[in-house]
Amino acid sequence: MGKKIFSGVQPTGNLHLGNYIGAIKNFVDLQNQPGNECVYCVVDLHAITTKQDPKILKDNIRETTAAFLASGINPKKSIIFNQSSVSAHAEGSWILGCVARMGWLNRMTQFKEKAGKDKEKASIGLYIYPVLMTADILLYDASHVPVGEDQKQHLELSRDIAQKFNLDFKAPNFLRVPEPLIQKNFSRIMSLKDGTNKMSKSDPSDLSRINLTDTKDQIVNKIKKAKTDTEPLPDDEKKLNQRPEVENLLGIYSSLNNQSLQDSIKELSGKNFSKFKEILAELVVEKILPISTEINSLIKDKRYIDSVLKEGGEKANQIASKKIEEIKKIVGF
Ligand code: AMP
Ligand code: TRP
């Protein structure tokens, strides 16, 4: 039987190679497996948990949509929409927020990271962010949720909330308990400047990431400047210990080539970094430049992008509004 897939990406600008390898590339693979029903959401309600400039947010919503389309998500096969256009997400989040426990949310490491030292000043939205994420998933009865490694804890919370709701309201199996789909390998792409930090939209250094809208020259230059060390490439996976930057570059190479780390090591061992970087840059350009070119062309056609979101929003609303009505009935409204 096919899977029901739901996932989301925040429209907060600077979509990068980590988003592509950790998430969007898998969205496309899942869409193309027969029998799957996929819903991909531009999670704009999540974006405003940190301060956004309204004009830039609007552009970023379109750009993230364009990145979905340019990467191969097909609006005829998958539902593509933005979260704020379907009001059931906000409603569901409130109801599930009354099921989730403070103790559970207090353990969320992403909140601690994002809120930083001054937790008192973080928005309440940032704190309950994983509850909204839970509503996203449960409204569509998703069986599987493809995400990068950093979202694993949020997925576990979603499972707990679904189970508690079913138990509290004596509605066995009503909310489907979702499974995370996290790739075993390459689910955490690291910064090109520091192999112990993940590649991130918000890193102040643009050289730390390859953006999905970068030009050929930018891609080549960033790979040339990526941090490495003085040893040649290893001949054994075990020798990657203590060499996080090298492991990351080999991971990027393997993932984009759809091959195992071991096979890449076999292919490349003994090469020096200038040669490896040349080969890697060529591969990244081959895979990412067509996406970048397509994003840059699509975002000029705002009407088309808006029409994709509108159509997707209508389809999503049909599913989600039915589920939220059932939820309300169960709760006693
Ligand atoms: P976000 O940009 O935070 O909305 O993330 C969108 C998706 O990309 C989520 O599934 C993340 O887990 C994934 N993701 C973000 N950064 C990385 C990274 N550095 N490596 C792998 N996956 C990532
Ligand atoms: N929290 C996710 C992230 O930052 C984005 C997201 C929101 C999401 N809702 C979701 C992912 C539902 C999967 C399913 O990456």
Side-chain angles (χ1 to χ4, degrees):
M1 224 182 69
K3 300 183 176 85
K4 280 196 174 187
I5 306 291
F6 186 99
S7 196
V9 175
Q10 296 190 67
T12 36
N14 294 337
L15 277 177
H16 52 69
L17 192 63
N19 295 127
Y20 180 71
I21 292 176
I24 301 174
K25 183 170 175 275
N26 309 315
F27 297 179
V28 180
D29 293 342
L30 287 161
Q31 163 193 272
N32 294 335
Q33 288 166 17
N36 286 353
E37 290 169 43
C38 304
V39 182
Y40 297 124
C41 185
V42 179
V43 290
D44 48 10
L45 296 173
H46 277 105
I48 62 164
T49 56
T50 57
K51 199 165 169 47
Q52 303 295 327
D53 176 326
K55 271 211 197 79
I56 297 176
L57 178 61
K58 193 151 210 150
D59 288 341
N60 282 339
I61 293 170
R62 292 193 177 111
E63 190 176 304
T64 303
T65 310
F68 281 180
L69 297 169
S71 303
I73 299 176
N74 177 349
K76 299 253 178 309
K77 289 190 186 168
S78 301
I79 297 178
I80 303 175
F81 77 110
N82 62 313
Q83 198 182 22
S84 65
S85 70
V86 177
S87 59
H89 291 252
E91 285 181 86
S93 177
W94 179 261
I95 295 172
L96 296 175
C98 298
V99 174
R101 304 290 93 182
M102 292 274 289
W104 299 357
L105 280 168
N106 284 342
R107 285 197 284 275
M108 296 295 117
T109 53
Q110 191 177 77
F111 174 76
K112 290 178 197 163
E113 273 163 31
K114 284 200 180 175
K117 284 198 188 79
D118 201 355
K119 285 197 193 40
E120 301 281 312
K121 287 220 173 112
S123 74
I124 291 168
L126 189 66
Y127 182 68
I128 58 165
Y129 171 121
V131 177
L132 176 60
M133 182 165 162
T134 303
D136 297 343
I137 298 165
L138 302 186
L139 282 170
Y140 297 84
D141 292 322
S143 61
H144 292 84
V145 181
V147 280
E149 169 71 27
D150 60 340
Q151 296 300 314
K152 189 168 175 217
Q153 198 186 30
H154 291 163
L155 254 294
E156 280 158 9
L157 181 87
S158 301
R159 294 170 56 86
D160 289 343
I161 294 177
Q163 281 162 337
K164 182 161 162 49
F165 181 96
N166 292 344
L167 207 67
D168 284 358
F169 293 100
K170 302 189 175 52
N173 303 321
F174 169 69
L175 291 178
R176 187 166 192 171
V177 181
E179 298 286 341
L181 271 185
I182 300 172
Q183 309 173 88
K184 271 200 215 79
N185 306 309
F186 327 126
S187 60
R188 211 171 135 80
I189 301 299
M190 309 310 273
S191 155
L192 298 179
K193 285 287 164 199
D194 173 359
T196 60
N197 256 333
K198 81 174 181 173
M199 188 177 283
S200 150
K201 290 169 174 175
S202 55
D203 193 316
S205 165
D206 197 54
L207 287 175
S208 70
R209 65 181 162 261
I210 290 169
N211 299 305
L212 293 186
T213 49
D214 278 349
T215 61
K216 181 175 176 186
D217 289 349
Q218 283 171 316
I219 296 173
V220 171
N221 183 43
K222 285 176 182 180
I223 292 179
K224 211 183 255 171
K225 295 209 166 125
K227 187 175 168 195
T228 45
D229 53 37
T230 50
E231 306 283 310
L233 287 162
D235 54 8
D236 186 349
E237 219 172 306
K238 289 189 198 94
K239 296 187 185 154
L240 284 173
N241 254 341
Q242 314 293 327
R243 299 180 75 186
E245 285 83 13
V246 182
E247 184 172 9
N248 188 44
L249 293 182
L250 282 169
I252 293 172
Y253 182 80
S254 310
S255 165
L256 291 180
N257 243 346
N258 293 313
Q259 68 187 35
S260 69
L261 194 60
Q262 220 172 357
D263 285 346
S264 301
I265 290 176
K266 226 184 265 163
E267 185 186 322
L268 300 160
S269 79
K271 287 206 168 29
N272 63 27
F273 276 109
S274 67
K275 186 69 202 161
F276 171 47
K277 283 180 166 181
E278 240 173 64
I279 299 172
L280 178 63
E282 208 173 292
L283 177 67
V284 177
V285 167
E286 181 197 320
K287 299 286 177 179
I288 300 302
L289 194 63
I291 296 176
S292 165
T293 310
E294 182 68 6
I295 294 175
N296 286 317
S297 134
L298 279 168
I299 49 179
K300 289 192 198 117
D301 193 350
K302 289 186 185 168
R303 280 197 16 210
Y304 172 65
I305 300 276
D306 292 351
S307 74
V308 167
L309 289 175
K310 183 161 179 286
E311 230 172 84
E314 284 162 7
K315 290 186 204 156
N317 193 45
Q318 276 183 10
I319 303 172
S321 62
K322 205 165 142 245
K323 191 77 181 178
I324 196 75
E325 283 316 313
E326 290 170 356
I327 292 176
K328 285 176 167 175
K329 223 192 216 158
I330 289 175
V331 167
F333 294 156

